[in-house]
Amino acid sequence: MIEVLRAGRCDLVMDLGRPGWGALGVPAGGAADQPALAAANRLVGNDEAAAGLEILLAGPSLRFPLGGVVALAGARFRATRSKGGAPAWNETLLLAAGEILNLERAETGCRCWLAVRGGLAVPRVLGSRSTLLSAGFGGYQGRALRTGDTLACATPAGEMPLLRAHPPVPPLDTPLRVVAGPQASLFDDAGLRAFFCGSYRVDAASDRRGLRLTGPAVTHARGELPSQGVLPGTVQVPPGGQPIMLGWDGPVTGGYPAIAAVIAADWPRLAQLRPGDAVRFATVEAEAAPAPAPWAIEALA
């Protein structure tokens, strides 16, 4: 059991998503950095797809009346434990009965993930426990956690080894890697130069549906097209010329020209972009795009 003593800015129950429902207009969703949640689950002995918490920018205060085994991965937050000082990141943490875990603000990046041994026991909707805020279903009653909520956890048997994870080291201050979008040919030379040579900022009006960018206007020959299938990471350009990178809960179809798509290996970087962060783009060939880097797990000495 987990008691929410103080809700954070946006604490969402997430697993690895619900792919396969796009024909009904339902995005796959799930954790914004799936390898990070999967690694946190491995640290507590869960299946990688177990439900945990995705925590945005300012975190919650959580009480564990019976104790528990937890792990934190992703952006580092200023955090404390009521019994034991600051919690470690990317390690198995043993919490005593009645212990309180306080997550305050993100010191780097934007999101972290909290896994609890046994996983968060919320109902499955369309095969997933992930929250879809825009539709009001999944997760904890289809919404972000509030102060006073109580989360149930499964109670698996067996001993739990203490583990440490080694996340891949992200490239520093390098462009997001993209492949050409299906409508790249509709953009004129000036528009392509603006997109690939310019620098953008993440707008405050961004969320899990999409990251809006502000910067050089990207010009193209047509404003809108017949609706087509789109995926997270797709970079669409509305008539105003300011790109939008579609997020994990974004629409499954769109009618704006798609100039590019962020490769899956860089989706974890999208998860850590916060308002005001700078964004640049560089193109790669689809055949040469690397796979997402794995997390290494080892036993604690």
Side-chain angles (χ1 to χ4, degrees), residues 3-8 11 60-61 143-150:
E3 298 172 350
V4 182
L5 303 182
R6 183 198 71 241
D11 312 317
S61 178
R143 59 169 172 80
L145 297 185
R146 299 172 185 164
T147 299
D149 287 341
T150 300

Side-chain angles (χ1 to χ4, degrees), residues 208-235:
R208 283 182 52 90
R209 292 172 296 179
L211 282 75
R212 296 180 177 272
L213 304 179
T214 58
V218 181
T219 54
H220 50 77
R222 297 179 61 176
E224 295 188 32
L225 300 165
S227 291
Q228 59 188 322
V230 290
L231 295 169
T234 299
V235 185

Side-chain angles (χ1 to χ4, degrees), residues 132-161:
L132 183 57
L133 287 175
S134 59
F137 66 70
Y140 188 90
Q141 300 178 13
R143 59 169 172 80
L145 297 185
R146 299 172 185 164
T147 299
D149 287 341
T150 300
L151 287 163
C153 307
T155 53
E159 295 184 359
M160 179 65 227

Side-chain angles (χ1 to χ4, degrees), residues 106-129:
E107 296 181 323
T108 61
C110 185
R111 293 178 172 89
C112 76
W113 290 268
L114 171 69
V116 182
R117 190 167 196 220
L120 300 179
V122 297
R124 293 182 186 270
V125 180
L126 300 180
S128 170
R129 294 185 170 91

Side-chain angles (χ1 to χ4, degrees), residues 170-225:
L172 297 176
D173 194 30
T174 57
L176 289 172
R177 294 167 291 183
V178 298
V179 296
Q183 287 82 44
S185 62
L186 296 182
F187 294 83
D188 56 29
D189 289 345
L192 294 171
R193 280 196 303 272
F195 183 75
F196 287 107
C197 298
S199 180
Y200 294 87
R201 294 281 177 183
V202 178
D203 190 85
S206 299
D207 57 22
R208 283 182 52 90
R209 292 172 296 179
L211 282 75
R212 296 180 177 272
L213 304 179
T214 58
V218 181
T219 54
H220 50 77
R222 297 179 61 176
E224 295 188 32
L225 300 165

